[in-house]
Amino acid sequence: MDFNWQLFAQYLVIGIATGSLIALIALGYTLVYGIIELINFAHGEVFMMGAFFAATVVGLTGVTATSGTASVVLAGIAGLFGAMAFSAAINFGIDRIAYRRLRSAPRLAPLIAAIGFSFILQNIAIYWKGANPISPPSFLPPEIYTNVLTEWFGLSTTIFLTVLDVVVVGVTIPLLIGLSWFVYRTRLGKAMRATAQDREAAALMGIDINRAIGVAFLLGGALAGAAGMIALYYDNSARFQMGFRYGLFAFTAAVLGGIGNLAGAVIGGLTIGIIWAMSDGFMKEYISGWGAQWTPSVIFAVLVLVMVFRPSGLLGERTADKV
Amino acid sequence: MAERVWIGELIAQLHRGKIDRREFMKRAAAAGLSASLISQVVAAHAARAQEGTPASVVGQVGMPGIEHITDTSKGTIRLYSSWPMIAASAQIGGDSAEAVRLALEDFGNAAGGFALEYEALDDAIASTGSWDPGKEAENANRVVSDMDAMVYIATYNSGAAKISIPILNQAEPGPMAMISPANTYPGLSKSTEFNDEGEPDIYYPTGKRNYMRVVPSDEIQGGAAANWAYNENGNRRAYVLHDNQLYGKGLASVFEATFRELGGEILGFEGFDPNAPSYRALMTSIASRNPDLVYLGAIVNLNASKLLQDMRAVMPADRVAFLGPDGLINQAFIDGAGDAAEGAYITFGGVPASALEGIGADWAQRMRERLGHEPDAYAAYSYEAAVVAIQAIDQVQEKDRVKILDAMFATEGFNGLLGTWSFTETGDTDSTTVSLNQVQGGQITFLKRIGRA
């Protein structure tokens, strides 16, 4: 069978869009790991809470698809920033309540606390919105599903690239650039990097390490909240369990790219998104008997292979003891 | 004074359904009760029946000719149920538990000289929202070790039954009865071409059968579904998806085999990952093969709503039909999928509560009043399962698990909510009722009864 470029490109589009989403969540894992070497297992649930809060905010604005472009865009921004603030607050709160007290405890203690918080947040979510999947309040006009390639560029193709796909990637990239700028170009970012390198030395130099760590949690949470809003409308549903699988993939992405490394998290996220789409759809065109049920196996097999040949991930770790 | 007590007794007998209204009036008049008092009692009785506890239900649902004993001097017998009661299953499991409670109330919470107690166990865990093998084993072991427990009304999921049947089968001092309102995987009790090796005997280590089900199994449902799709809906190109579970995959296999046999083309037979947050790539690949029907062998807890949503994003309802089994015949599936659920076809080995007739319709009305919503499709079977257990206790009149099991197995000519049925020698119902339903306006709407041939 000839290589089907159109189909390949179609799955690439899907992969990049979902990959961007995973990358946003992966950044939260990597930020926190980079600075305190804790794998924040509650991060997937922080993302899920962001999605739920976005649904609430958009619902409160009362904007519908017929309210006009300006209102729709404003409602979208309100949902996005509302979710970011909410998730940032939760993530910061978890650090303040639990992890900070465990800073000098053995490593397992904060890890177990993180798992505990993940369950607590799931149960709060069940109490809040119920256990069934929720549908987001619909405020996006049907044009959001217009095919950009045929309608805007007049191309004759069967590849389906919707406005929503463009928006997903279009929201993700500025957030990534903004984050990198913050970490590498601001004083607070410098303080964070210093804390990551050597906590005690940073404290001796007069850096408020708790503040630097708190900022990492705030930023990670905000990105998770943004991802929550995007996932809510990209997947058109949200559920109390959604954080688990997204979180697992995002954590894998962070490890794949090199945990603690911002660019690595993005590369890892995109890689996983693309592998996912290819395994769900494209591979069965060429391998008979292939199916979506193998997708998690493929993703984790790739992870194992990368870990065997490049133990510090695709782009290498950038944590304290590596620098 | 003596006479007053006697009249009180008479009224109690009327309420319990020991005597009917005409008999009551005759005896009360003979006892010298005034006409106005008699009419008051009769009116109160009618109102009470309207409220949902008509004593007259005894004798209407169940095997005819079994005397119901309301005395409770011999002690207590406990009935347990086990099925998921949380997450997407909260309403499904809750309605079924309420149906069991209603059955017990209808029989005055007593049978065979014992007071009856009921406890609804949950076999789901919060982290997955779905049934869990460890939890189901724990429930079964708990029930077996409770010496007052005589009957296990369980499970909802066929995979869970695989775990608990052998545990109950090897109970001491003898096999304990398990009766399921919802398991439809054939291999649990029957020998069919879809069985895994060694089924069903591997589930009965002692060699004695202890498992019954009041719902028709999947070779009937899956066959009827394929037959309807090919012969009545005119589908020729089907894509089959399943959740890799015993129930979902089993049913999908039956559908696939029957559809192929009839002459239809199967474009793909594939398991999906129930934990994936999105199925867009999968659905795009299915759409590229141009099916006219997608069959989904899955239960609602395993992300079925999301799957249908993503399917509708690339395959509109007017081009590709969606057909699913009874694991999806619930409000949770519809609520989860939203607008995407519209027009979806769902088969069920029975009929939904809204389409029940006669005593079934009365029952559905009483359930509606209790629950405040349309009862789940399986609640009727849960009620019947409880009545089978109660009547067996009425016959045996002692705390003996094996005797009660044998009495349940011997159920014959049972006047059920969906019609009259008997247990076959494998403990299966001989009913072959399968209904075709469609989601219309966000509601499950009964279309018609369908069959295999």
Side-chain angles (χ1 to χ4, degrees):
Chain A
M1 200 191 290
D2 285 341
F3 193 75
N4 189 335
W5 282 106
Q6 293 234 336
L7 217 51
F8 182 77
Q10 177 68 71
Y11 293 120
L12 208 58
V13 165
I14 296 173
I16 290 173
T18 22
S20 313
L21 200 62
I22 294 172
L24 276 178
I25 310 168
L27 280 168
Y29 277 104
T30 252
L31 265 175
V32 167
Y33 186 85
I35 199 159
I36 54 169
E37 293 185 30
L38 160 73
I39 295 161
N40 182 9
F41 275 114
H43 194 69
E45 276 62 45
V46 171
F47 150 77
M48 174 269 296
M49 293 298 266
F52 275 21
F53 191 72
T56 306
V57 170
V58 175
L60 283 178
T61 62
V63 173
T64 63
T66 51
S67 303
T69 314
S71 314
V72 168
V73 171
L74 280 178
I77 291 174
L80 186 68
F81 283 95
M84 286 172 77
F86 186 70
S87 291
I90 292 180
N91 216 23
F92 182 79
I94 295 175
D95 175 53
R96 189 71 192 76
I97 294 169
Y99 305 154
R100 189 187 284 189
R101 293 167 206 275
L102 300 170
R103 262 323 173 240
S104 49
R107 274 215 188 166
L108 262 181
L111 204 66
I112 302 290
I115 294 171
F117 265 102
S118 132
F119 281 111
I120 291 172
L121 290 176
Q122 280 196 18
N123 283 288
I124 291 175
I126 296 176
Y127 184 75
W128 183 15
K129 298 261 179 188
N132 293 330
I134 60 161
S135 297
S138 62
F139 78 107
L140 294 171
E143 288 80 43
I144 198 84
Y145 298 109
T146 314
N147 189 344
V148 173
L149 297 176
T150 52
E151 303 293 319
W152 292 5
F153 296 106
L155 301 174
S156 106
T157 172
T158 55
I159 302 169
F160 213 75
L161 175 71
T162 64
V163 181
L164 193 60
D165 291 320
V166 177
V167 170
V168 169
V169 179
V171 170
T172 307
I173 289 171
L175 284 171
L176 297 180
I177 295 173
L179 181 70
S180 302
W181 172 82
F182 182 86
V183 172
Y184 293 108
R185 294 278 179 275
T186 62
R187 271 179 73 87
L188 210 51
K190 210 179 204 174
M192 281 170 62
R193 282 180 293 138
T195 310
Q197 273 193 7
D198 189 327
R199 218 184 289 168
E200 272 123 44
L204 287 172
M205 300 297 161
I207 292 172
D208 182 346
I209 56 165
N210 274 331
R211 180 155 165 249
I213 295 170
V215 170
F217 274 93
L218 275 178
L219 285 175
L223 292 175
M229 167 72 182
I230 295 171
L232 177 70
Y233 282 95
Y234 189 67
D235 290 346
N236 203 26
S237 76
R239 198 176 177 206
F240 77 102
Q241 286 161 332
M242 70 190 287
F244 177 72
R245 182 51 68 93
Y246 266 122
L248 191 63
F249 280 178
F251 171 62
T252 310
V255 174
L256 198 63
I259 190 144
N261 184 321
L262 295 186
V266 177
I267 300 287
L270 290 175
T271 309
I272 286 184
I274 292 168
I275 296 174
W276 180 359
M278 293 301 164
S279 170
D280 263 13
F282 195 63
M283 310 244 293
K284 75 176 78 139
E285 303 293 326
Y286 301 96
I287 305 170
S288 80
W290 194 269
Q293 56 190 323
W294 300 109
T295 302
S297 318
V298 177
I299 290 175
F300 292 108
V302 169
L303 177 73
V304 169
L305 284 179
V306 170
M307 288 294 108
V308 167
F309 293 105
R310 284 190 65 94
S312 52
L314 290 172
L315 299 192
E317 276 184 56
R318 266 195 218 163
T319 56
D321 42 13
K322 286 283 160 190
V323 178
Chain B
M1 276 314 262
E3 197 182 67
R4 281 190 69 156
V5 172
W6 189 76
I7 287 163
E9 184 93 87
L10 199 59
I11 295 170
Q13 281 185 348
L14 169 73
H15 285 324
R16 277 204 306 265
K18 285 267 198 185
I19 53 172
D20 64 17
R21 260 184 254 173
R22 186 176 300 168
E23 181 70 17
F24 170 80
M25 283 192 271
K26 231 191 314 190
R27 289 199 206 168
L33 211 61
S34 77
S36 74
L37 213 58
I38 293 174
S39 64
Q40 262 178 35
V41 171
V42 171
H45 171 68
R48 192 170 143 156
Q50 284 278 312
E51 272 165 33
T53 49
S56 58
V57 91
V58 176
Q60 270 197 34
V61 176
M63 252 167 95
I66 292 172
E67 197 200 345
H68 179 52
I69 300 160
T70 51
D71 154 67
T72 58
S73 56
K74 291 185 184 169
T76 302
I77 283 182
R78 241 185 307 281
L79 306 178
Y80 284 92
S81 68
S82 173
W83 46 62
M85 307 273 287
I86 53 164
S89 307
Q91 190 184 320
I92 307 169
D95 287 5
S96 277
E98 198 55 33
V100 174
R101 255 174 235 124
L102 178 61
L104 262 71
E105 276 177 31
D106 283 348
F107 283 82
N109 292 305
F114 295 91
L116 297 182
E117 282 177 11
Y118 166 58
E119 190 171 340
L121 306 176
D122 188 346
D123 68 359
I125 53 171
S127 57
T128 63
S130 184
W131 76 272
D132 177 75
K135 192 80 185 292
E136 178 55 34
E138 185 190 316
N139 289 351
N141 280 310
R142 177 175 159 192
V143 170
V144 162
S145 62
D146 177 355
M147 284 303 146
D148 290 334
M150 294 292 127
V151 179
Y152 191 48
I153 305 173
T155 56
Y156 185 79
N157 306 88
S158 298
K162 245 180 159 171
I163 292 165
S164 38
I165 296 172
I167 297 177
L168 272 80
N169 191 263
Q170 297 170 88
E172 289 298 331
M176 179 171 168
M178 168 160 166
I179 181 166
S180 169
N183 296 154
T184 51
Y185 176 66
L188 294 173
S189 62
K190 292 182 184 174
S191 304
T192 69
E193 55 191 299
F194 306 105
N195 284 19
D196 278 345
E197 205 169 317
E199 285 178 341
D201 295 338
I202 48 168
Y203 304 120
Y204 306 97
T206 63
K208 182 171 171 66
R209 291 295 188 106
N210 64 315
Y211 171 78
M212 294 144 276
R213 51 177 148 192
V214 293
V215 59
S217 59
D218 287 336
E219 80 282 10
I220 300 167
Q221 186 189 177
N227 181 49
W228 170 81
Y230 188 88
N231 286 323
E232 296 189 46
N233 207 34
N235 296 120
R236 292 293 178 271
R237 296 164 60 80
Y239 203 100
V240 181
L241 285 171
H242 62 81
D243 58 12
N244 270 317
Q245 283 210 359
L246 189 63
Y247 162 82
K249 191 174 181 188
L251 201 45
S253 308
V254 177
F255 180 88
E256 184 211 11
T258 318
F259 195 76
R260 221 192 271 277
E261 215 171 89
L262 290 167
E265 192 183 348
I266 299 289
L267 302 174
F269 181 82
E270 181 175 357
F272 65 93
D273 167 18
N275 293 314
S278 141
Y279 299 99
R280 210 174 138 203
L282 172 63
M283 285 305 168
T284 305
S285 78
I286 295 176
S288 75
R289 301 192 173 193
N290 226 356
D292 57 16
L293 173 85
V294 171
Y295 185 84
L296 176 64
I299 53 172
V300 61
N301 322 51
L302 298 175
N303 232 352
S305 303
K306 182 71 192 125
L307 209 78
L308 176 55
Q309 255 188 359
D310 288 351
M311 171 189 163
R312 285 300 175 224
V314 289
M315 289 178 268
D318 54 358
R319 277 201 294 121
V320 188
F322 173 90
L323 180 60
D326 54 338
L328 307 177
I329 189 157
N330 46 62
Q331 203 57 41
F333 174 65
I334 299 173
D335 293 345
D339 295 341
E342 211 49 35
Y345 293 105
I346 305 173
T347 58
F348 172 46
V351 296
S354 58
L356 290 171
E357 291 161 359
I359 48 172
D362 292 347
W363 172 86
Q365 183 53 33
R366 291 164 59 213
M367 281 294 283
R368 246 171 244 133
E369 283 162 12
R370 279 173 90 96
L371 299 166
H373 59 246
E374 194 60 27
D376 182 73
Y378 278 108
Y381 282 133
S382 303
Y383 183 89
E384 287 190 355
V387 173
V388 169
I390 293 167
Q391 288 200 313
I393 298 168
D394 262 336
Q395 285 168 274
V396 174
Q397 295 168 27
E398 53 184 305
K399 227 182 236 185
D400 185 320
R401 286 177 179 172
V402 178
K403 283 187 184 164
I404 290 173
L405 164 63
D406 290 340
M408 286 170 71
F409 242 91
T411 300
E412 213 180 339
F414 186 96
N415 289 319
L417 301 170
L418 292 82
T420 305
W421 56 268
S422 307
F423 276 137
T424 64
E425 60 199 9
T426 56
D428 284 282
T429 172
D430 62 2
S431 157
T432 54
T433 303
V434 177
S435 65
L436 179 74
N437 309 278
Q438 190 178 31
V439 179
Q440 292 176 357
Q443 297 285 323
I444 294 160
T445 311
F446 169 77
L447 296 184
K448 59 178 167 180
R449 289 180 183 233
I450 55 175
R452 179 161 189 174

